[in-house]
Amino acid sequence: NWLEILYPWMGGFVVLGSILGVLIAVPFYLLAHRVAILPVLDLAGIYAALMQAIARFGCFFAGCCYGMPVKTAVPWAVTFTNPEGFAPLLVPLHPTQLYMSA
């Protein structure tokens, strides 16, 4: 159902949607104000990667976008214990959110 995109109570606002919205809306704004588009998009590209890295910390704290279970014991494995999170409980997982942030 395409209308569920507009339902914030059904899920979070993912940063990728923000980046896509900026890439669609900003060129129209810049054209209306007669500002060169390519230099502004070059600058925005830097901050898009930074925004993605920061958003992955939010995914880590929410327990979503989790990684595969750890097959061998590694010191950086994460075990989620909050039953309200999205990750499986008490299973050591790779922290892919932190990998993506790095």
Side-chain angles (χ1 to χ4, degrees):
N1 183 0
W2 284 95
L3 287 176
E4 287 183 7
I5 295 171
L6 304 174
Y7 299 165
W9 56 89
M10 298 285 290
F13 292 105
V14 178
V15 71
L16 297 176
S18 300
I19 293 171
L20 183 63
V22 165
L23 289 176
I24 292 171
V26 167
F28 290 113
Y29 177 83
L30 295 176
L31 283 173
H33 291 281
R34 298 175 193 226
V35 177
I37 295 175
L38 292 179
V40 173
L41 289 181
D42 284 342
L43 184 63
I46 295 168
Y47 292 107
L50 179 64
M51 187 169 59
Q52 176 74 3
I54 293 170
R56 292 299 142 207
F57 281 111
C59 288
F60 178 72
F61 293 127
C64 64
C65 308
Y66 52 87
M68 298 288 295
V70 176
K71 292 188 175 38
T72 59
V74 292
W76 58 86
V78 176
T79 303
F80 291 97
T81 58
N82 185 355
E84 294 180 10
F86 297 106
L89 298 178
L90 304 174
V91 177
L93 302 170
H94 281 283
T96 55
Q97 313 93 327
L98 300 181
Y99 296 162
M100 290 181 71
S101 289

Coordinates of all heavy atoms in Angstrom, one line a residue:
N1 N 0.8 -1.2 0.0 CA 0.0 0.0 0.0 C 0.9 1.2 0.0 O 1.6 1.5 1.0 CB -0.9 0.0 1.2 CG -1.9 1.1 1.3 OD1 -1.9 2.0 0.4 ND2 -2.7 1.2 2.3
W2 N 0.8 2.0 -1.1 CA 1.7 3.2 -1.2 C 1.4 4.3 -0.2 O 2.2 5.1 0.1 CB 1.6 3.8 -2.6 CG 2.3 2.9 -3.6 CD1 1.8 1.9 -4.4 CD2 3.7 3.0 -3.9 NE1 2.8 1.4 -5.1 CE2 4.0 2.0 -4.8 CE3 4.8 3.8 -3.4 CZ2 5.2 1.8 -5.3 CZ3 6.0 3.5 -3.9 CH2 6.2 2.6 -4.9
L3 N 0.2 4.3 0.4 CA -0.2 5.3 1.4 C 0.6 5.1 2.7 O 0.7 6.0 3.5 CB -1.7 5.4 1.6 CG -2.5 6.0 0.4 CD1 -4.0 5.9 0.7 CD2 -2.1 7.4 0.2
E4 N 1.0 3.9 2.9 CA 1.8 3.7 4.2 C 3.1 4.4 4.3 O 3.7 4.5 5.3 CB 2.0 2.2 4.3 CG 0.8 1.4 4.6 CD 1.1 -0.1 4.9 OE1 2.3 -0.5 4.9 OE2 0.1 -0.9 5.0
I5 N 3.5 5.0 3.1 CA 4.7 5.8 3.2 C 4.5 7.0 4.1 O 5.4 7.5 4.7 CB 5.1 6.3 1.7 CG1 5.5 5.0 0.9 CG2 6.2 7.3 1.7 CD1 5.7 5.4 -0.6
L6 N 3.3 7.5 4.1 CA 2.9 8.7 4.9 C 2.5 8.4 6.3 O 2.1 9.3 7.0 CB 1.8 9.4 4.2 CG 2.0 9.8 2.7 CD1 0.8 10.4 2.1 CD2 3.2 10.7 2.6
Y7 N 2.7 7.1 6.8 CA 2.3 6.8 8.1 C 3.5 6.7 9.0 O 4.2 5.6 9.1 CB 1.6 5.4 8.1 CG 0.3 5.3 7.3 CD1 -0.3 4.1 7.0 CD2 -0.4 6.5 6.9 CE1 -1.4 4.0 6.3 CE2 -1.6 6.4 6.2 CZ -2.1 5.2 5.9 OH -3.3 5.1 5.2
P8 N 3.9 7.7 9.7 CA 5.1 7.6 10.5 C 5.0 6.6 11.7 O 6.0 6.2 12.2 CB 5.3 9.0 11.0 CG 4.0 9.7 10.9 CD 3.3 9.0 9.8
W9 N 3.8 6.3 12.1 CA 3.6 5.4 13.3 C 3.8 3.9 12.8 O 3.9 3.1 13.6 CB 2.2 5.6 13.9 CG 1.1 5.4 12.9 CD1 0.5 4.2 12.6 CD2 0.5 6.4 12.1 NE1 -0.5 4.4 11.6 CE2 -0.5 5.8 11.3 CE3 0.7 7.8 12.0 CZ2 -1.3 6.5 10.4 CZ3 -0.1 8.4 11.1 CH2 -1.1 7.8 10.3
M10 N 4.0 3.7 11.5 CA 4.2 2.3 11.0 C 5.7 2.0 10.9 O 6.0 0.9 10.6 CB 3.5 2.2 9.6 CG 2.0 2.4 9.6 SD 1.2 1.0 10.3 CE 1.4 -0.3 9.1
G11 N 6.5 3.0 11.1 CA 8.0 2.7 11.0 C 8.7 4.1 11.0 O 8.1 5.1 11.0
G12 N 10.0 4.0 11.0 CA 10.9 5.1 11.1 C 11.1 5.8 9.8 O 10.7 5.3 8.7
F13 N 11.6 7.0 9.8 CA 12.0 7.7 8.6 C 13.5 7.4 8.3 O 14.4 7.8 9.1 CB 11.9 9.2 8.8 CG 10.4 9.6 9.0 CD1 9.9 10.0 10.2 CD2 9.6 9.7 7.9 CE1 8.6 10.4 10.3 CE2 8.3 10.1 8.0 CZ 7.8 10.4 9.2
V14 N 13.7 6.7 7.3 CA 15.0 6.2 6.9 C 15.8 7.3 6.2 O 15.2 8.1 5.4 CB 14.9 5.0 6.0 CG1 16.3 4.5 5.6 CG2 14.2 3.9 6.8
V15 N 17.0 7.4 6.5 CA 17.8 8.5 5.9 C 17.9 8.4 4.4 O 18.1 9.5 3.7 CB 19.2 8.5 6.5 CG1 20.1 7.4 6.1 CG2 20.0 9.8 6.2
L16 N 17.8 7.3 3.8 CA 17.8 7.1 2.4 C 16.7 7.9 1.7 O 16.8 8.5 0.6 CB 17.8 5.7 1.9 CG 19.0 4.9 2.4 CD1 18.9 3.4 2.0 CD2 20.3 5.4 1.9
G17 N 15.5 7.9 2.3 CA 14.4 8.6 1.8 C 14.7 10.1 1.9 O 14.3 10.9 1.0
S18 N 15.4 10.6 2.9 CA 15.7 12.0 3.0 C 16.7 12.4 1.9 O 16.6 13.4 1.3 CB 16.4 12.3 4.4 OG 15.5 12.0 5.4
I19 N 17.7 11.5 1.6 CA 18.6 11.8 0.6 C 17.9 11.9 -0.8 O 18.2 12.8 -1.6 CB 19.8 10.8 0.6 CG1 20.6 10.9 1.9 CG2 20.6 10.9 -0.7 CD1 21.6 9.8 2.1
L20 N 17.0 10.9 -1.0 CA 16.3 10.9 -2.3 C 15.4 12.2 -2.4 O 15.3 12.8 -3.5 CB 15.4 9.6 -2.4 CG 14.6 9.5 -3.6 CD1 15.6 9.3 -4.8 CD2 13.7 8.2 -3.5
G21 N 14.8 12.5 -1.3 CA 13.9 13.8 -1.3 C 14.7 15.0 -1.6 O 14.3 15.9 -2.4
V22 N 15.9 15.1 -1.1 CA 16.8 16.2 -1.3 C 17.2 16.2 -2.8 O 17.3 17.3 -3.4 CB 18.0 16.2 -0.4 CG1 19.1 17.1 -0.8 CG2 17.6 16.5 1.0
L23 N 17.6 15.1 -3.3 CA 18.0 15.0 -4.7 C 16.9 15.4 -5.7 O 17.2 15.8 -6.8 CB 18.6 13.6 -5.0 CG 19.9 13.3 -4.4 CD1 20.3 11.9 -4.7 CD2 21.0 14.3 -4.9
I24 N 15.7 15.2 -5.3 CA 14.6 15.6 -6.1 C 14.2 17.0 -6.0 O 14.0 17.7 -6.9 CB 13.4 14.7 -5.9 CG1 13.7 13.2 -6.3 CG2 12.1 15.2 -6.6 CD1 12.7 12.2 -5.9
A25 N 14.1 17.5 -4.7 CA 13.6 18.8 -4.5 C 14.6 20.0 -4.7 O 14.3 21.0 -5.2 CB 13.1 18.9 -3.0
V26 N 15.9 19.7 -4.3 CA 16.9 20.8 -4.3 C 17.1 21.3 -5.7 O 17.2 22.5 -5.9 CB 18.2 20.4 -3.6 CG1 19.3 21.3 -3.9 CG2 17.9 20.3 -2.1
P27 N 17.3 20.5 -6.7 CA 17.5 21.1 -8.1 C 16.4 22.0 -8.5 O 16.6 23.0 -9.2 CB 17.6 19.8 -9.0 CG 18.0 18.7 -8.1 CD 17.4 19.0 -6.8
F28 N 15.1 21.7 -8.2 CA 14.0 22.6 -8.6 C 14.2 23.9 -7.8 O 13.9 25.0 -8.4 CB 12.7 22.0 -8.3 CG 12.3 20.8 -9.2 CD1 12.3 19.5 -8.7 CD2 12.1 21.1 -10.5 CE1 12.0 18.5 -9.5 CE2 11.8 20.0 -11.4 CZ 11.7 18.7 -10.9
Y29 N 14.5 23.9 -6.5 CA 14.7 25.1 -5.7 C 15.8 25.9 -6.3 O 15.7 27.1 -6.5 CB 15.0 24.7 -4.3 CG 15.3 25.9 -3.4 CD1 14.2 26.6 -2.9 CD2 16.6 26.3 -3.1 CE1 14.5 27.7 -2.1 CE2 16.8 27.4 -2.3 CZ 15.8 28.1 -1.8 OH 16.0 29.2 -1.0
L30 N 17.0 25.3 -6.6 CA 18.1 26.0 -7.2 C 17.8 26.6 -8.5 O 18.3 27.7 -8.8 CB 19.3 25.1 -7.2 CG 19.8 24.6 -5.9 CD1 21.0 23.6 -6.1 CD2 20.3 25.7 -5.0
L31 N 17.1 25.9 -9.4 CA 16.7 26.5 -10.7 C 15.8 27.7 -10.5 O 15.9 28.7 -11.2 CB 16.0 25.4 -11.5 CG 16.9 24.4 -12.2 CD1 16.0 23.3 -12.8 CD2 17.8 25.0 -13.2
A32 N 14.9 27.6 -9.5 CA 14.0 28.7 -9.3 C 14.7 30.0 -8.8 O 14.4 31.1 -9.1 CB 12.9 28.4 -8.3
H33 N 15.8 29.8 -8.1 CA 16.6 30.9 -7.6 C 17.9 31.2 -8.4 O 18.7 31.9 -7.9 CB 17.0 30.6 -6.1 CG 15.8 30.7 -5.2 ND1 15.2 31.9 -4.8 CD2 15.0 29.7 -4.7 CE1 14.2 31.6 -4.0 NE2 14.0 30.3 -3.9
R34 N 18.0 30.5 -9.5 CA 19.1 30.7 -10.5 C 20.5 30.5 -9.8 O 21.4 31.4 -9.9 CB 19.0 32.0 -11.1 CG 17.7 32.1 -11.9 CD 17.6 33.5 -12.5 NE 16.2 33.6 -13.0 CZ 15.9 34.1 -14.1 NH1 16.8 34.5 -14.9 NH2 14.6 34.1 -14.5
V35 N 20.6 29.4 -9.1 CA 21.9 29.0 -8.5 C 22.4 27.8 -9.2 O 21.7 26.9 -9.6 CB 21.7 28.7 -7.0 CG1 23.0 28.2 -6.3 CG2 21.1 29.9 -6.2
A36 N 23.7 27.8 -9.4 CA 24.4 26.6 -10.1 C 24.1 25.3 -9.4 O 24.4 25.3 -8.2 CB 25.8 26.9 -10.3
I37 N 23.6 24.3 -10.1 CA 23.2 23.1 -9.4 C 24.4 22.2 -9.1 O 24.5 21.7 -7.9 CB 22.2 22.3 -10.3 CG1 20.9 23.1 -10.4 CG2 21.9 20.9 -9.7 CD1 19.9 22.5 -11.4
L38 N 25.3 22.0 -10.0 CA 26.4 21.0 -9.8 C 27.3 21.3 -8.6 O 27.6 20.4 -7.8 CB 27.2 20.8 -11.0 CG 26.4 20.1 -12.2 CD1 27.3 20.0 -13.4 CD2 25.9 18.8 -11.8
P39 N 27.7 22.6 -8.4 CA 28.6 22.8 -7.2 C 27.8 22.5 -5.8 O 28.4 22.0 -4.9 CB 28.9 24.3 -7.3 CG 28.8 24.6 -8.7 CD 27.7 23.8 -9.2
V40 N 26.5 22.8 -5.8 CA 25.7 22.6 -4.6 C 25.6 21.1 -4.4 O 25.7 20.6 -3.3 CB 24.4 23.3 -4.7 CG1 23.5 22.9 -3.5 CG2 24.5 24.8 -4.7
L41 N 25.4 20.3 -5.5 CA 25.2 18.9 -5.3 C 26.6 18.2 -4.9 O 26.6 17.2 -4.2 CB 24.7 18.2 -6.6 CG 23.2 18.5 -6.9 CD1 22.8 17.9 -8.2 CD2 22.3 18.1 -5.7
D42 N 27.7 18.8 -5.4 CA 29.0 18.3 -5.0 C 29.1 18.5 -3.4 O 29.6 17.6 -2.8 CB 30.1 19.1 -5.7 CG 30.3 18.6 -7.1 OD1 29.9 17.5 -7.4 OD2 31.0 19.3 -7.8
L43 N 28.7 19.6 -2.9 CA 28.8 19.8 -1.5 C 27.8 18.9 -0.7 O 28.2 18.4 0.3 CB 28.5 21.3 -1.2 CG 28.6 21.7 0.2 CD1 30.0 21.6 0.7 CD2 28.2 23.2 0.3
A44 N 26.6 18.7 -1.3 CA 25.6 17.9 -0.6 C 26.1 16.4 -0.6 O 25.7 15.7 0.3 CB 24.3 18.0 -1.4
G45 N 26.9 16.0 -1.6 CA 27.3 14.6 -1.6 C 28.2 14.3 -0.4 O 28.1 13.1 0.1
I46 N 29.0 15.2 0.0 CA 29.8 15.0 1.2 C 28.9 14.8 2.4 O 29.1 13.9 3.2 CB 30.7 16.2 1.4 CG1 31.7 16.3 0.3 CG2 31.5 16.1 2.7 CD1 32.5 17.6 0.2
Y47 N 27.9 15.6 2.6 CA 27.1 15.6 3.8 C 26.1 14.4 3.7 O 25.6 13.9 4.7 CB 26.3 16.9 4.0 CG 27.3 18.0 4.4 CD1 27.7 19.0 3.5 CD2 27.9 17.9 5.6 CE1 28.6 19.9 3.8 CE2 28.8 18.9 6.0 CZ 29.1 19.9 5.1 OH 30.1 20.9 5.4
A48 N 25.8 13.9 2.5 CA 24.9 12.7 2.4 C 25.6 11.5 3.0 O 25.0 10.7 3.8 CB 24.6 12.4 1.0
A49 N 26.9 11.4 2.8 CA 27.6 10.2 3.4 C 27.7 10.4 4.9 O 27.6 9.4 5.6 CB 29.0 10.1 2.8
L50 N 27.9 11.6 5.4 CA 28.0 11.9 6.8 C 26.6 11.6 7.4 O 26.5 11.0 8.5 CB 28.4 13.3 7.1 CG 28.5 13.7 8.5 CD1 29.5 12.9 9.3 CD2 28.8 15.2 8.6
M51 N 25.5 12.0 6.8 CA 24.2 11.7 7.3 C 23.9 10.2 7.4 O 23.3 9.8 8.3 CB 23.2 12.5 6.4 CG 21.8 12.4 6.9 SD 20.6 13.5 6.1 CE 20.7 13.0 4.4
Q52 N 24.4 9.5 6.4 CA 24.2 8.1 6.3 C 24.9 7.4 7.5 O 24.4 6.5 8.2 CB 24.7 7.5 5.0 CG 24.6 6.0 4.9 CD 23.2 5.5 4.7 OE1 22.3 6.2 4.6 NE2 23.1 4.2 4.7
A53 N 26.1 7.9 7.8 CA 26.9 7.3 8.9 C 26.2 7.6 10.2 O 26.2 6.7 11.1 CB 28.3 7.9 8.9
I54 N 25.7 8.8 10.4 CA 25.1 9.1 11.7 C 23.8 8.3 11.8 O 23.4 7.9 12.9 CB 24.8 10.6 11.8 CG1 26.2 11.4 11.9 CG2 23.9 11.0 12.9 CD1 26.1 12.9 11.7
A55 N 23.0 8.2 10.7 CA 21.8 7.4 10.8 C 22.0 6.0 11.2 O 21.1 5.4 11.8 CB 21.1 7.5 9.5
R56 N 23.1 5.4 10.8 CA 23.4 4.0 11.2 C 23.6 3.8 12.7 O 23.3 2.8 13.3 CB 24.6 3.5 10.5 CG 24.4 3.3 9.0 CD 23.3 2.3 8.7 NE 22.5 2.8 7.6 CZ 21.3 2.5 7.3 NH1 20.6 1.8 8.2 NH2 20.6 3.0 6.3
F57 N 24.0 4.9 13.4 CA 24.0 4.8 14.9 C 22.6 4.7 15.4 O 22.4 4.0 16.4 CB 24.8 6.1 15.4 CG 26.2 6.0 15.4 CD1 26.9 6.8 14.5 CD2 26.9 5.1 16.1 CE1 28.3 6.8 14.5 CE2 28.3 5.0 16.1 CZ 29.0 5.9 15.2
G58 N 21.7 5.5 14.8 CA 20.3 5.3 15.2 C 19.8 3.9 15.0 O 19.0 3.4 15.8
C59 N 20.2 3.3 13.9 CA 19.8 1.9 13.6 C 20.4 1.0 14.7 O 19.7 0.1 15.1 CB 20.2 1.5 12.2 SG 19.3 2.2 10.9
F60 N 21.6 1.3 15.1 CA 22.2 0.4 16.1 C 21.5 0.5 17.4 O 21.2 -0.5 18.0 CB 23.7 0.8 16.3 CG 24.4 0.1 17.3 CD1 24.7 -1.3 17.1 CD2 24.7 0.7 18.5 CE1 25.4 -2.0 18.1 CE2 25.4 0.0 19.5 CZ 25.7 -1.4 19.3
F61 N 21.1 1.7 17.8 CA 20.4 1.9 19.1 C 19.0 1.4 19.0 O 18.4 0.9 20.1 CB 20.4 3.4 19.5 CG 21.8 3.9 19.9 CD1 22.3 5.0 19.3 CD2 22.6 3.2 20.8 CE1 23.6 5.5 19.6 CE2 23.9 3.6 21.1 CZ 24.3 4.8 20.5
A62 N 18.4 1.4 17.9 CA 17.0 0.8 17.7 C 17.0 -0.7 17.6 O 16.0 -1.3 17.7 CB 16.3 1.5 16.5
G63 N 18.2 -1.3 17.2 CA 18.3 -2.7 17.0 C 17.8 -3.2 15.7 O 17.5 -4.3 15.5
C64 N 17.6 -2.2 14.7 CA 17.2 -2.6 13.4 C 18.5 -2.7 12.5 O 19.6 -2.4 12.9 CB 16.2 -1.7 12.8 SG 16.8 0.0 12.6
C65 N 18.3 -3.2 11.3 CA 19.4 -3.4 10.3 C 20.5 -4.2 10.9 O 21.7 -3.9 10.6 CB 19.9 -2.0 9.8 SG 18.6 -0.9 9.2
Y66 N 20.2 -5.2 11.7 CA 21.2 -6.0 12.4 C 21.9 -7.0 11.4 O 21.4 -7.3 10.3 CB 20.6 -6.8 13.5 CG 19.4 -7.6 13.2 CD1 19.5 -8.9 12.7 CD2 18.1 -7.0 13.3 CE1 18.4 -9.6 12.4 CE2 17.0 -7.8 13.0 CZ 17.2 -9.1 12.5 OH 16.1 -9.8 12.2
G67 N 23.0 -7.5 11.8 CA 23.8 -8.4 11.0 C 23.5 -9.8 11.2 O 22.6 -10.2 12.0
M68 N 24.4 -10.6 10.6 CA 24.3 -12.1 10.7 C 24.7 -12.5 12.1 O 25.5 -11.9 12.7 CB 25.2 -12.7 9.7 CG 24.7 -12.4 8.2 SD 23.2 -13.3 7.8 CE 23.7 -15.0 7.8
P69 N 24.2 -13.7 12.6 CA 24.7 -14.2 13.8 C 26.2 -14.5 13.7 O 26.7 -14.9 12.6 CB 23.9 -15.5 14.0 CG 22.7 -15.3 13.2 CD 23.1 -14.4 12.0
V70 N 26.9 -14.4 14.8 CA 28.4 -14.6 14.9 C 28.6 -16.1 15.0 O 28.0 -16.8 15.9 CB 29.0 -13.9 16.0 CG1 30.5 -14.2 16.2 CG2 28.8 -12.4 15.8
K71 N 29.4 -16.7 14.1 CA 29.6 -18.2 14.2 C 30.7 -18.5 15.2 O 30.7 -19.6 15.8 CB 29.9 -18.7 12.8 CG 28.8 -18.6 11.8 CD 29.1 -19.3 10.6 CE 28.0 -19.4 9.6 NZ 27.0 -18.7 9.2
T72 N 31.7 -17.7 15.3 CA 32.8 -17.9 16.2 C 32.8 -16.7 17.2 O 32.4 -15.6 16.8 CB 34.2 -18.0 15.5 OG1 34.4 -16.8 14.8 CG2 34.2 -19.2 14.6
A73 N 33.3 -16.9 18.4 CA 33.3 -15.8 19.4 C 34.2 -14.7 18.9 O 35.4 -14.9 18.7 CB 33.7 -16.3 20.7
V74 N 33.7 -13.5 18.8 CA 34.5 -12.3 18.5 C 34.1 -11.2 19.5 O 33.0 -11.2 20.0 CB 34.2 -11.7 17.1 CG1 34.7 -12.7 16.0 CG2 32.8 -11.5 16.8
P75 N 35.1 -10.4 19.9 CA 34.9 -9.5 21.0 C 33.9 -8.4 20.7 O 33.3 -7.7 21.5 CB 36.2 -8.9 21.4 CG 37.1 -9.2 20.2 CD 36.5 -10.4 19.5
W76 N 33.7 -8.1 19.4 CA 32.8 -7.0 19.0 C 31.4 -7.4 18.7 O 30.6 -6.6 18.2 CB 33.4 -6.2 17.8 CG 33.6 -7.1 16.6 CD1 32.7 -7.4 15.6 CD2 34.8 -7.7 16.2 NE1 33.2 -8.2 14.7 CE2 34.5 -8.4 15.0 CE3 36.1 -7.8 16.8 CZ2 35.5 -9.2 14.4 CZ3 37.0 -8.6 16.1 CH2 36.7 -9.3 14.9
A77 N 31.1 -8.7 18.9 CA 29.7 -9.1 18.7 C 28.8 -8.4 19.6 O 29.1 -8.1 20.8 CB 29.6 -10.6 18.9
V78 N 27.5 -8.1 19.2 CA 26.6 -7.4 20.0 C 25.4 -8.3 20.2 O 24.9 -9.0 19.3 CB 26.1 -6.2 19.2 CG1 25.0 -5.5 19.9 CG2 27.2 -5.2 18.9
T79 N 24.9 -8.3 21.5 CA 23.7 -9.1 21.9 C 22.7 -8.1 22.3 O 22.8 -7.4 23.3 CB 24.1 -10.1 23.0 OG1 25.2 -10.9 22.6 CG2 22.9 -11.0 23.3
F80 N 21.6 -8.1 21.6 CA 20.5 -7.2 21.9 C 19.6 -7.9 23.0 O 19.3 -9.1 22.9 CB 19.7 -6.9 20.7 CG 20.4 -6.0 19.7 CD1 21.1 -6.5 18.6 CD2 20.4 -4.6 19.9 CE1 21.7 -5.7 17.8 CE2 21.1 -3.8 19.0 CZ 21.8 -4.4 17.9
T81 N 19.2 -7.1 24.0 CA 18.4 -7.6 25.1 C 17.0 -6.9 25.2 O 16.2 -7.4 26.0 CB 19.1 -7.5 26.4 OG1 19.4 -6.2 26.7 CG2 20.4 -8.4 26.4
N82 N 16.8 -5.9 24.5 CA 15.5 -5.1 24.6 C 14.5 -5.8 23.8 O 14.6 -5.9 22.6 CB 15.7 -3.7 24.1 CG 14.5 -2.9 24.3 OD1 13.4 -3.3 24.8 ND2 14.6 -1.6 24.0
P83 N 13.4 -6.3 24.4 CA 12.3 -7.0 23.6 C 11.6 -6.1 22.7 O 10.9 -6.6 21.8 CB 11.4 -7.6 24.7 CG 11.7 -6.8 25.9 CD 13.1 -6.3 25.8
E84 N 11.7 -4.8 22.8 CA 11.0 -3.9 21.9 C 11.8 -3.6 20.7 O 11.3 -2.9 19.8 CB 10.7 -2.6 22.7 CG 9.7 -2.7 23.8 CD 9.4 -1.4 24.5 OE1 9.8 -0.4 24.0 OE2 8.7 -1.5 25.6
G85 N 13.0 -4.0 20.6 CA 13.9 -3.8 19.4 C 13.5 -4.8 18.3 O 12.6 -5.6 18.5
F86 N 14.1 -4.6 17.2 CA 13.8 -5.5 16.0 C 14.7 -6.7 15.9 O 14.4 -7.6 15.2 CB 13.9 -4.6 14.8 CG 12.9 -3.5 14.7 CD1 13.3 -2.2 14.9 CD2 11.5 -3.8 14.5 CE1 12.3 -1.2 14.9 CE2 10.6 -2.8 14.5 CZ 11.0 -1.5 14.7
A87 N 15.9 -6.6 16.6 CA 16.9 -7.7 16.5 C 16.4 -8.9 17.3 O 15.7 -8.8 18.3 CB 18.2 -7.2 16.9
P88 N 16.9 -10.1 16.9 CA 16.6 -11.3 17.7 C 17.3 -11.1 19.1 O 18.4 -10.7 19.2 CB 17.2 -12.4 16.9 CG 18.0 -11.8 15.9 CD 17.6 -10.4 15.7
L89 N 16.6 -11.6 20.1 CA 17.1 -11.4 21.5 C 18.1 -12.5 21.8 O 18.0 -13.7 21.4 CB 15.9 -11.5 22.5 CG 14.9 -10.4 22.4 CD1 13.8 -10.7 23.4 CD2 15.5 -9.1 22.6
L90 N 19.1 -12.1 22.6 CA 20.2 -12.9 23.1 C 20.9 -13.8 22.1 O 21.3 -14.9 22.4 CB 19.6 -13.8 24.2 CG 18.8 -13.1 25.3 CD1 18.1 -14.1 26.3 CD2 19.8 -12.2 26.1
V91 N 21.1 -13.2 20.9 CA 21.8 -13.9 19.8 C 23.0 -13.0 19.5 O 22.8 -11.8 19.1 CB 21.0 -14.1 18.6 CG1 21.8 -14.7 17.5 CG2 19.8 -15.0 18.9
P92 N 24.3 -13.4 19.6 CA 25.4 -12.6 19.3 C 25.4 -12.3 17.8 O 25.3 -13.2 16.9 CB 26.6 -13.4 19.6 CG 26.1 -14.5 20.5 CD 24.7 -14.7 20.2
L93 N 25.4 -11.0 17.4 CA 25.3 -10.6 16.0 C 26.4 -9.7 15.6 O 27.0 -9.0 16.5 CB 24.0 -9.8 15.8 CG 22.7 -10.4 16.2 CD1 21.5 -9.4 16.2 CD2 22.4 -11.6 15.2
H94 N 26.7 -9.7 14.3 CA 27.7 -8.7 13.8 C 27.0 -7.3 13.8 O 25.9 -7.2 13.4 CB 28.1 -9.0 12.4 CG 29.1 -10.1 12.3 ND1 30.4 -9.9 12.5 CD2 28.9 -11.4 11.9 CE1 31.1 -11.0 12.3 NE2 30.2 -12.0 12.0
P95 N 27.7 -6.3 14.3 CA 27.1 -4.9 14.4 C 27.3 -4.2 13.0 O 28.1 -3.3 12.8 CB 27.9 -4.2 15.5 CG 29.2 -4.9 15.4 CD 29.0 -6.3 15.1
T96 N 26.5 -4.7 12.0 CA 26.7 -4.1 10.7 C 26.4 -2.6 10.6 O 26.9 -1.9 9.8 CB 25.7 -4.9 9.7 OG1 24.4 -4.8 10.1 CG2 26.2 -6.3 9.5
Q97 N 25.5 -2.2 11.5 CA 25.2 -0.7 11.6 C 26.5 0.1 11.8 O 26.8 1.1 11.2 CB 24.2 -0.4 12.6 CG 23.0 -1.3 12.7 CD 23.1 -2.4 13.6 OE1 24.2 -3.0 13.8 NE2 22.0 -2.8 14.2
L98 N 27.3 -0.4 12.8 CA 28.6 0.2 13.1 C 29.6 0.0 12.0 O 30.5 0.9 11.8 CB 29.1 -0.3 14.4 CG 28.2 -0.1 15.6 CD1 28.8 -0.6 16.9 CD2 27.8 1.4 15.8
Y99 N 29.6 -1.1 11.3 CA 30.5 -1.3 10.2 C 30.2 -0.3 9.1 O 31.1 0.3 8.5 CB 30.3 -2.7 9.6 CG 30.7 -3.9 10.4 CD1 30.2 -5.1 10.1 CD2 31.5 -3.8 11.6 CE1 30.5 -6.3 10.9 CE2 31.8 -4.9 12.4 CZ 31.3 -6.1 12.0 OH 31.6 -7.2 12.8
M100 N 28.9 0.0 8.9 CA 28.6 0.9 7.8 C 28.9 2.4 8.2 O 29.3 3.2 7.4 CB 27.1 0.8 7.5 CG 26.7 -0.4 6.8 SD 24.9 -0.5 6.4 CE 24.8 0.7 5.1
S101 N 28.8 2.7 9.5 CA 29.2 4.0 10.0 C 30.7 4.2 9.8 O 31.1 5.3 9.5 CB 28.8 4.2 11.5 OG 27.4 4.3 11.6
A102 N 31.5 3.2 10.1 CA 32.9 3.3 9.9 C 33.3 3.5 8.5 O 34.1 4.3 8.1 CB 33.6 2.1 10.5

